[in-house]
């Protein structure tokens, strides 16, 4: 949303328009957050996350190609596959039928896929949340992002629609306890630290809506260019990129652990899994 706000203001300035005054500044939000975490309410939310994540396995073991290095380096790469419009529409229609968002549908599908791939019934996946909970925060440019750690108990005997509703309920509870910064949750749980992997979760899920691919400045046009930074913040990140008329699945992966061919196969299997 910060990018959208930035380009919106840029276009208005380009057209010699005056920017609408902001009711608060990002600094006001930062001050509020520092004061809020001192209140009793924050402890209730911390207790929720402690109850939700206590006893979480330290590491989600996937079929790596290489031994894990003693320290996480952040070296990475990306692989992408595009879903057919028919498959994308069908996934969204199931989400609508079950009363969940496409985000929740694909998160549940990804967690089910990880269960099949790893054989682990108890697994956690991180997912970012914009955390702009008040209308006056909407037009601000700044860092509001929160990371939810979504824990799921997967069993092969559970129908997917049941699992989908379980994930939806977990997400609903997470939204109700969204004001606790991730570092406070990690501090409260105090997991064993290992420099070779991230505590509490090593896999991230991101759902992005990209409704406008070209930004117009009257006669000038701004196009996004693909950029591969050759980095990976986690062992594995799945980006579902929703362009409205098509969906892309993109794996950002740690090259210290995975070979390119392994990730390509994993993407192909995930595509097949979605069809199933």
């Amino acid at each position: 949303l910060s990018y959208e706000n930035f380009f919106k203001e840029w276009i208005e300035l380009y057209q010699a328009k005056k920017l609408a005054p902001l009711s608060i500044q990002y600094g006001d939000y930062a001050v509020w957050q520092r004061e809020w975490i001192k209140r009793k309410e924050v402890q209730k939310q911390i207790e929720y996350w402690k109850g939700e994540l206590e006893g979480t396995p330290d590491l989600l073991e996937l079929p790596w190609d290489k031994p894990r290095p003693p320290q996480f380096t952040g070296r990475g790469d990306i692989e992408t596959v595009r879903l057919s419009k028919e498959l994308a529409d069908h996934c969204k229609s199931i989400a609508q039928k079950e009363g969940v968002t496409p985000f929740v549908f694909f998160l549940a599908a990804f967690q089910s896929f990880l269960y099949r791939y790893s054989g682990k019934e108890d697994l956690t996946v991180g997912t970012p949340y914009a955390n702009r909970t008040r209308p006056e925060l909407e037009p601000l440019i700044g860092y509001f992002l929160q990371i939810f750690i979504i824990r799921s108990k997967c069993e092969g005997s559970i129908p997917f629609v049941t699992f989908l509703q379980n994930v939806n309920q977990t997400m609903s509870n997470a939204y109700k306890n969204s004001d606790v910064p991730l570092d406070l949750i990690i501090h409260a749980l105090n997991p064993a630290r290992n420099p070779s992997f991230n505590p509490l979760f090593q896999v991230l899920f991101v759902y992005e809506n990209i409704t406008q691919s070209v930004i117009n400045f009257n006669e000038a046009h701004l196009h996004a260019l693909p950029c591969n930074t050759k980095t990976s913040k986690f062992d594995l990140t799945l980006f579902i990129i929703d362009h409205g008329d098509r969906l892309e699945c993109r794996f950002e992966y740690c090259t210290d652990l995975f070979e390119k061919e392994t990730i390509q196969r994993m993407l192909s299997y995930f595509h097949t899994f979605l069809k199933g």
Side-chain angles (χ1 to χ4, degrees):
L1 190 54
S2 286
Y3 281 113
E4 293 178 11
N5 291 338
F6 172 75
F7 287 120
K8 180 182 177 183
E9 292 186 3
W10 191 2
I11 291 171
E12 289 177 352
L13 291 171
Y14 186 88
Q15 296 172 345
K17 296 180 180 178
K18 289 187 66 175
L19 299 179
L22 298 171
S23 59
I24 64 171
Q25 296 289 334
Y26 182 76
D28 300 319
Y29 169 79
V31 170
W32 170 84
Q33 188 179 56
R34 282 198 298 269
E35 293 300 318
W36 187 87
I37 61 177
K38 299 175 185 177
R39 299 176 186 174
K40 292 181 180 179
E41 290 91 333
V42 74
Q43 194 58 42
K44 293 180 181 178
Q45 294 197 19
I46 289 176
E47 289 302 318
Y48 164 79
W49 288 109
K50 286 177 66 177
E52 186 73 12
L53 301 173
E54 201 80 58
T56 299
D58 293 335
L59 180 64
L60 176 59
E61 296 185 14
L62 295 171
W64 305 308
D65 297 305
K66 311 169 191 177
R68 182 178 290 275
Q71 186 160 351
F72 189 80
T73 67
R75 289 189 288 261
D77 209 343
I78 58 173
E79 289 293 329
T80 303
V81 66
R82 180 181 294 184
L83 302 185
S84 68
K85 187 176 187 306
E86 180 184 12
L87 177 57
D89 289 346
H90 190 57
C91 290
K92 290 181 178 180
S93 70
I94 294 174
Q96 185 178 28
K97 178 183 176 182
E98 296 300 324
V100 304
T101 63
F103 160 77
V104 169
F105 173 86
F106 283 103
L107 171 60
F110 184 44
Q111 288 185 305
S112 298
F113 175 76
L114 291 174
Y115 158 66
R116 299 284 185 89
Y117 224 79
S118 67
K120 304 298 182 182
E121 293 186 353
D122 187 359
L123 53 87
T124 57
V125 172
T127 189
Y129 167 54
N131 205 28
R132 296 177 186 250
T133 54
R134 299 179 65 89
E136 57 266 35
L137 301 179
E138 293 295 321
L140 293 185
I141 295 173
Y143 186 85
F144 298 89
L145 197 68
Q146 172 67 297
I147 299 290
F148 288 153
I149 305 174
I150 304 303
R151 184 180 188 179
S152 292
K153 302 292 182 66
C154 303
E155 297 177 11
S157 60
I158 298 179
F160 177 72
V161 290
T162 302
F163 180 71
L164 179 62
Q165 293 300 333
N166 292 344
V167 173
N168 191 49
Q169 184 59 55
T170 301
M171 284 302 307
S172 177
N173 293 337
Y175 291 133
K176 296 172 184 175
N177 295 274
S178 63
D179 293 318
V180 182
L182 180 61
D183 58 328
L184 288 187
I185 297 171
I186 294 175
H187 179 75
L189 288 164
N190 194 26
R193 300 302 182 96
N194 189 316
S196 67
F197 58 84
N198 196 66
L200 299 181
F201 70 100
Q202 299 81 42
V203 176
L204 193 74
F205 172 81
V206 181
Y207 190 94
E208 293 184 347
N209 280 298
I210 301 179
T211 56
Q212 187 176 1
S213 58
V214 180
I215 298 173
N216 298 307
F217 294 82
N218 294 338
E219 70 281 359
H221 309 284
L222 184 66
H223 297 261
L225 296 177
C227 177
N228 186 351
T229 62
K230 295 292 182 179
T231 61
S232 179
K233 299 179 180 66
F234 300 93
D235 290 2
L236 184 69
T237 299
L238 171 61
F239 292 89
I240 299 290
I241 305 171
D242 189 344
H243 295 273
D245 59 342
R246 68 185 192 280
L247 282 176
E248 290 180 6
C249 298
R250 178 181 300 164
F251 272 152
E252 179 184 273
Y253 64 96
C254 175
T255 51
D256 290 330
L257 299 174
F258 297 103
E259 298 286 0
K260 180 187 182 77
E261 293 76 17
T262 299
I263 296 299
Q264 289 174 336
R265 284 196 303 272
M266 192 181 292
L267 264 179
S268 175
Y269 293 157
F270 183 63
H271 189 266
T272 302
F273 182 78
L274 286 176
K275 287 184 178 179

